[in-house]
Amino acid sequence: MLDQILFAVANGLASGMAVFLVAAGVTLIFGLLRILNFAQGSFFMVGAYVAFSITGTSPGSLWSFLFASVVAGATVAALGLLTEKAIFRRLRKYDEAYTLIATFALMMALDGAVKLIWGLNYHSTSSPPALAGVFIFGPVILPLYSVFLIGLGLAVFVLLEFGIHRLWIGKIVQSLASDQWMSGYVGINVPAMLTLTVVAAFFLAGLAGGLLLPNQSLSPALSHAFLLLAFIAVIIGGLGNIRGAFMASLVLGLVDSLNAVLLPDQPGIAMYVAMVGCMLWRPAGILSAGTGDQTVHNHASGGTPIDWSRYRPSLIAAGIVLAIAVAAMPLWANPGLVFLAGIALVAALFALSWNFLFGTTGLATFGHAAFFAIGAYSSALMLKATGGQWFLLILLASAAIGCVVAAAAGSIAIRRTTGIALAILTLALSEIMRLLISSSSQLGRDDGVSGIPRPQFDLGFVTISLQSTSQYFWFLFVVCGLTALVLWWITAGRFGRVLRAIKQDPERTTFLGINIARARLLSFMLSGTVATFAGALQTPWVQIVTPEAANYLVSMQPMLSTLLGGASFFWGPVIGTILFFIIDQATRSLAGLSEVVTGSVLLIFVMLAPDGMLGLIGHLRKQKSTPSAARGGATEVMPS
């Protein structure tokens, strides 16, 4: 056992250094621009593919391997320069949550482009001959390549430390991170220095992709594997803190490696538990004295809110026509389209639940899929146990479970964190749930639960069956619609006004005597309950549930729908869901094209129309109805 632990420690050091090579670029960009770049993992993957295109499956020598890695770094640095000029400069004016979603859209587009260029096949590359042996130190035997990674990680850390804290250019970067206006006032070329730092961060990502190539199975999924690890290291270490990212990367590597030895039945879970513990202990990072209490401010807005009440009759008429068309789909559409429409109904309700927390309360979570998975699994297990009976009670019981879990998680998470810290903490909780489900034999492990029966209601004097596709679709339509109306009623009522006041100005709201912590917790519970309810509704429709229901990518879907439709509007997520499904289905035929189109459209919306489709329509109508002279004298309101 001692030999295994020593080997695990040595292997953990190598893994930690690999994580640090990716996390270094993330923390550099955040420290300077306050942009948490979700696409950094994708740029790392691009670097790996560029290096693979040069070396192939077997690098001829150590020098050719290093040359390919440097070329990969230079290629990604050039892409970084384009990204800085075209995207990051605009995102600097936006709130944290919007920049996160924008970089997620960029990640989608990049991942799709990689699939289109290099395909879906898996590739592997061997170590160069000079690093193909082993290093023996007592009972520990390590591949030479792992020793190379440890030395490389240490060298990068020392260079960054020396450059940032000892060289003049590092001091300029620190001054930019502290106060860009003052830096410009004393003569520093702020735009040029920002661009230089971003290019350096992207070069690190591409270089890491090339250098870590022999350690990976190269595929379009590579970006996701390193993205989460790098994010966790950056969050635990403290956003923008190189030393913290280095320490956290080592801790993560060691914890994950020891987890594989000591808890082989629960792979990967110790890392997320450590992350949750660190974030609750020091929300701003282990090397930061802050509290991490970063509230999501008002979202970017294109200007004065549109008075939609003027168009209420037209909007109600359009909504009724749309509702009738959807309800009649089993009568005129083919079964495949009806199935997709059922999925879209549940997805729209799921998106409404997320936007209730984000658009109304001002809290963003990245782990909303956990509630969806709770509802899906609880509904699946109870339906199989009862043979499809007592479905209404099953739905209520599932929602109650979600409400209790949301109360427990929210009372801990919201009390300690808000802003980005809350978003990442909820993401970690969601990943813990996914790993627990994957390792549970009662929940079917990775295969999930299948063969879930459609329900039927036995009212004593009559039995209502929902076992046919048409009948369950109509049930979904009615229940999703009623739940959405209840959520709208709450949002428009007194409680909704209190939440909007908290979102606009928490300090003034507190001054008015409102307990904002309690109101936020109630909002979190309601949002989680509705998300759980949506998961419970979908289970009989698809008749299978797998651990991927809790995947963080599922949490991103309501964000995409909300941003597409407009977070400022209650029905924005519904419009966004419809657009998202149309784009996704229209581009699904070619692998990668769907991600490129969806990611690009979302990115354009975030940068050019942050209020979404509804905001864009309202803005255009307002421009049309405003006299040209008045428009000429109007002052443009830039996104905050």
Side-chain angles (χ1 to χ4, degrees):
M1 175 59 84
L2 181 60
D3 294 350
Q4 290 182 349
I5 292 177
L6 288 174
F7 176 78
V9 169
N11 193 49
L13 288 175
S15 301
M17 293 300 180
V19 172
F20 172 68
L21 290 174
V22 182
V26 177
T27 202
L28 267 180
I29 292 178
F30 185 85
L32 195 61
L33 305 181
R34 318 306 293 176
I35 293 176
L36 197 51
N37 183 17
F38 234 118
Q40 194 77 4
S42 298
F43 285 106
F44 161 81
M45 178 176 66
V46 170
Y49 269 105
V50 170
F52 174 77
S53 300
I54 297 173
T55 64
T57 58
S58 179
S61 67
L62 178 61
W63 294 112
S64 65
F65 170 67
L66 294 176
F67 172 75
S69 301
V70 172
V71 171
T75 305
V76 175
L79 293 175
L81 181 61
L82 293 175
T83 305
E84 155 66 11
K85 289 185 176 297
I87 300 174
F88 282 1
R89 287 188 180 179
R90 282 182 170 273
L91 294 183
R92 288 171 201 157
K93 304 169 185 173
Y94 285 55
D95 294 337
E96 296 163 348
Y98 274 73
T99 59
L100 273 174
I101 295 169
T103 55
F104 179 82
L106 180 61
M107 180 191 79
M108 285 183 68
L110 276 174
D111 288 355
V114 166
K115 291 177 183 175
L116 288 172
I117 296 172
W118 283 285
L120 301 174
N121 294 331
Y122 281 71
H123 305 284
S124 61
T125 297
S126 60
S127 304
L131 300 177
V134 296
F135 175 78
I136 302 176
F137 183 76
V140 179
I141 302 175
L142 267 183
L144 271 179
Y145 179 72
S146 297
V147 179
F148 169 75
L149 282 185
I150 294 173
L152 184 69
L154 283 172
V156 171
F157 172 65
V158 170
L159 282 174
L160 288 174
E161 268 292 295
F162 185 76
I164 291 175
H165 296 287
R166 300 293 180 185
L167 296 181
W168 62 271
I169 193 168
K171 296 186 185 301
I172 290 177
V173 170
Q174 288 188 62
S175 67
L176 288 175
S178 175
D179 193 328
Q180 294 183 13
W181 180 85
M182 183 59 73
S183 301
Y185 189 74
V186 298
I188 296 174
N189 189 336
V190 175
M193 290 305 301
L194 291 177
T195 301
L196 183 64
T197 308
V198 170
V199 169
F202 276 85
F203 176 80
L204 277 177
L207 183 69
L211 293 174
L212 295 177
L213 184 58
N215 201 35
Q216 311 300 326
S217 178
L218 186 58
S219 75
L222 178 62
S223 62
H224 297 181
F226 269 89
L227 172 68
L228 272 183
L229 293 175
F231 259 55
I232 292 171
V234 170
I235 296 296
I236 291 179
L239 292 166
N241 192 318
I242 288 289
R243 292 175 188 168
F246 180 74
M247 288 178 57
S249 299
L250 289 182
V251 170
L252 286 178
L254 291 172
V255 168
D256 194 38
S257 188
L258 290 172
N259 185 171
V261 174
L262 302 176
L263 294 171
D265 294 333
Q266 304 287 341
I269 198 166
M271 188 172 56
Y272 292 103
V273 172
M275 176 186 175
V276 171
C278 286
M279 292 196 66
L280 292 177
W281 172 46
R282 295 184 74 87
I286 53 179
L287 292 186
S288 175
T291 62
D293 188 16
Q294 305 166 10
T295 304
V296 175
H297 303 293
N298 301 335
H299 73 280
S301 172
T304 307
I306 307 301
D307 182 14
W308 285 98
S309 60
R310 296 167 51 196
Y311 311 105
R312 182 169 295 167
S314 302
L315 292 174
I316 292 176
I320 291 174
V321 170
L322 178 64
I324 292 174
V326 173
M329 283 188 73
L331 304 177
W332 60 266
N334 63 58
L337 195 56
V338 173
F339 180 78
L340 289 176
I343 298 289
L345 284 173
V346 176
L349 184 61
F350 186 40
L352 284 172
S353 73
W354 185 83
N355 196 42
F356 181 78
L357 199 60
F358 177 70
T360 307
T361 315
L363 297 176
T365 73
F366 284 4
H368 220 49
F371 295 111
F372 192 85
I374 289 172
Y377 270 94
S378 56
S379 171
L381 295 177
M382 286 188 275
L383 277 172
K384 292 201 75 167
T386 61
Q389 303 293 326
W390 308 102
F391 187 49
L392 287 181
L393 289 178
I394 289 173
L395 288 176
L396 294 175
S398 300
I401 293 171
C403 184
V404 171
V405 173
S411 60
I412 297 172
I414 294 179
R415 186 182 297 274
R416 295 286 296 165
T417 60
T418 55
I420 288 179
L422 175 64
I424 302 298
L425 179 61
T426 52
L427 186 149
L429 293 172
S430 177
E431 283 298 297
I432 289 174
M433 172 166 291
R434 184 181 65 82
L435 292 171
L436 287 175
I437 293 173
S438 298
S439 60
S440 170
S441 58
Q442 290 79 13
L443 299 179
R445 297 184 184 276
D446 289 335
D447 294 331
V449 180
S450 58
I452 301 164
R454 294 259 174 87
Q456 60 181 6
F457 299 119
D458 187 358
L459 302 179
F461 58 94
V462 63
T463 300
I464 302 175
S465 174
L466 301 178
Q467 295 180 351
S468 76
T469 299
S470 300
Q471 290 164 334
Y472 195 76
F473 177 83
W474 284 321
F475 176 78
L476 274 180
F477 177 79
V478 172
V479 174
C480 287
L482 290 177
T483 309
L485 287 175
V486 170
L487 206 57
W488 172 80
W489 177 72
I490 294 173
T491 304
R494 182 180 180 279
F495 185 56
R497 291 194 294 273
V498 168
L499 295 179
R500 285 193 291 277
I502 293 173
K503 176 188 170 187
Q504 292 291 332
D505 197 328
E507 291 183 0
R508 290 187 179 183
T509 309
T510 304
F511 184 74
L512 294 173
I514 294 173
N515 187 336
I516 64 170
R518 180 171 174 269
R520 282 174 172 165
L521 177 60
L522 289 174
S523 173
F524 190 81
M525 290 170 59
L526 181 57
S527 174
T529 302
V530 176
T532 309
F533 190 67
L537 281 172
Q538 180 170 284
T539 302
W541 184 244
V542 297
Q543 298 187 293
I544 184 172
V545 56
T546 67
E548 291 308 302
N551 193 300
Y552 75 96
L553 294 175
V554 176
S555 294
M556 296 300 161
Q557 186 177 332
M559 300 182 200
L560 304 181
S561 299
T562 298
L563 265 292
L564 274 177
S568 299
F569 308 93
F570 180 83
W571 298 107
V574 177
I575 302 298
T577 301
I578 295 171
L579 291 174
F580 184 85
F581 268 75
I582 291 173
I583 295 171
D584 185 58
Q585 294 304 315
T587 56
R588 183 173 286 270
S589 57
L590 184 59
L593 183 61
S594 175
E595 289 97 323
V596 171
V597 174
T598 305
S600 300
V601 169
L602 181 64
L603 189 59
I604 291 170
F605 264 94
V606 172
M607 292 195 300
L608 302 182
D611 280 331
M613 178 59 76
L614 291 179
L616 180 62
I617 293 173
H619 185 66
L620 294 176
R621 290 188 67 89
K622 186 178 178 183
Q623 273 197 329
K624 186 177 179 181
S625 60
T626 303
S628 56
R631 286 203 305 270
T635 301
E636 185 182 2
V637 180
M638 297 304 293
S640 59

